[in-house]
Amino acid sequence: MQQKPSNEAGPGPAIILVEAQLGENIGAAARAMANFGLADLRLVAPRDGWPNEKARAAASRADHVIDAAKLFATTEEAVADLAYVYATTARNRGLPKPVVGPRAAAAALRGRSSAGQATGILFGRERWGLTNEEIALADAIVTFPVDPAFASLNIAQAVLLMSYEWMSAGLDGRITARAPVAAFDATPAPKAQLIGLMEHLEAALDEAGYFRTADKRPTMVANLRAILQRAGFTEPEIKVLRGVVAALERRHEKRRRADEND
């Protein structure tokens, strides 16, 4: 008999597995999600394709998670509709992002979920985790308190830990983080809109000659994206900023035409 998800924990974060290599690990992650009331499984380019019968077998009747799993070609597509995302990593990447433990992350996710915000947690490849570019899409980093001499966690184990903390945060009153109370809607814009702003700004800066050398461009772009990501812009704020960029583009175009006429 197929088990059904419980509604006790309320709506939960999307669990996003990036380029998972083994179907068995996907299935074990789905089983862990079902144990603790999570059901939104997102798969980014799994190595062995999807659907995967090994994943279904390892899920141990968590068929509702497997059947509803969504497939994406890129991590950007997988997070596009989310307002707040955590990235899991055991290594210090030197990125300017808040770093929290799983308990604090789960409490914050509970608060954001109660405020109606769509959230997610990124988990990387079994062998080497997430890239810096993928982590740059997240708002904060989750790291587990493990032995530094043996810090690597199986992807399903990591999903289990976060799913457990999510459930625990809703059952024992340890909800310590809430969305800020304000007179206006401070909900962060979906990632798709933020990514659009980033790409629009980068294209405008390319046209203006801001990136003077090709070798420095990736680092400069990464720094710009980190600044924009950290701000937590709302949808109206992003519309304003894109209008500013568009106005600068028009001014640059007028100047270029004037120079050509001269």
Side-chain angles (χ1 to χ4, degrees):
M1 180 177 177
Q2 180 175 324
Q3 297 177 359
K4 299 295 183 181
S6 167
N7 293 324
E8 291 182 5
I15 300 298
I16 306 157
L17 308 185
V18 179
E19 295 184 4
Q21 295 171 275
L22 300 175
E24 293 88 342
N25 282 342
I26 297 174
R31 180 179 183 179
M33 292 171 61
N35 286 149
F36 297 103
L38 298 178
D40 187 355
L41 175 61
R42 305 183 181 194
L43 305 174
V44 178
R47 185 190 67 181
D48 294 338
W50 193 259
N52 185 301
E53 288 307 312
K54 291 183 178 179
R56 184 176 295 279
S60 187
R61 295 188 296 173
D63 291 336
H64 60 282
V65 178
I66 294 294
D67 291 339
K70 303 179 186 71
L71 187 64
F72 297 88
T74 67
T75 306
E76 288 186 351
E77 293 172 0
V79 303
D81 64 322
L82 304 178
Y84 198 90
V85 175
Y86 280 102
T88 59
T89 181
R91 288 175 288 169
N92 181 4
R93 305 299 187 97
L95 296 173
K97 293 183 182 295
V99 179
V100 299
R103 187 163 301 175
L109 287 169
R110 279 282 178 179
R112 291 182 178 276
S113 179
S114 296
Q117 297 181 22
T119 62
I121 310 171
L122 285 170
F123 297 86
R125 302 152 188 84
E126 289 91 330
R127 292 186 64 185
W128 47 277
L130 296 166
T131 66
N132 281 1
E133 290 76 16
E134 289 160 347
I135 294 175
L137 295 171
D139 299 277
I141 290 171
V142 180
T143 189
F144 300 102
V146 294
D147 186 342
F150 197 73
S152 177
L153 281 177
N154 175 276
I155 189 171
Q157 292 175 320
V159 172
L160 177 68
L161 284 173
M162 286 304 305
S163 300
Y164 167 80
E165 291 294 351
W166 162 261
M167 175 67 84
S168 296
L171 295 180
D172 63 8
R174 287 189 284 104
I175 304 176
T176 58
R178 297 285 185 183
V181 177
F184 62 94
D185 183 3
T187 303
K191 296 295 180 185
Q193 294 190 21
L194 181 59
I195 292 167
L197 170 62
M198 293 172 174
E199 292 175 345
H200 188 182
L201 178 59
E202 289 157 21
L205 291 173
D206 272 324
E207 182 68 21
Y210 177 76
F211 304 112
R212 300 193 178 188
T213 58
D215 60 322
K216 292 184 179 179
R217 188 184 189 282
T219 300
M220 296 173 75
V221 166
N223 288 338
L224 282 170
R225 290 197 170 208
I227 292 169
L228 294 171
Q229 176 69 59
R230 192 163 60 244
F233 292 123
T234 64
E235 290 188 43
E237 289 171 338
I238 284 183
K239 289 179 181 177
V240 169
L241 290 172
R242 293 202 67 165
V244 170
V245 176
L248 292 174
E249 286 178 319
R250 289 192 295 270
R251 181 176 181 182
H252 180 77
E253 179 65 17
K254 288 179 181 178
R255 182 177 297 173
R256 185 180 63 79
R257 289 177 179 175
D259 291 342
E260 289 176 353
N261 292 334
D262 289 345

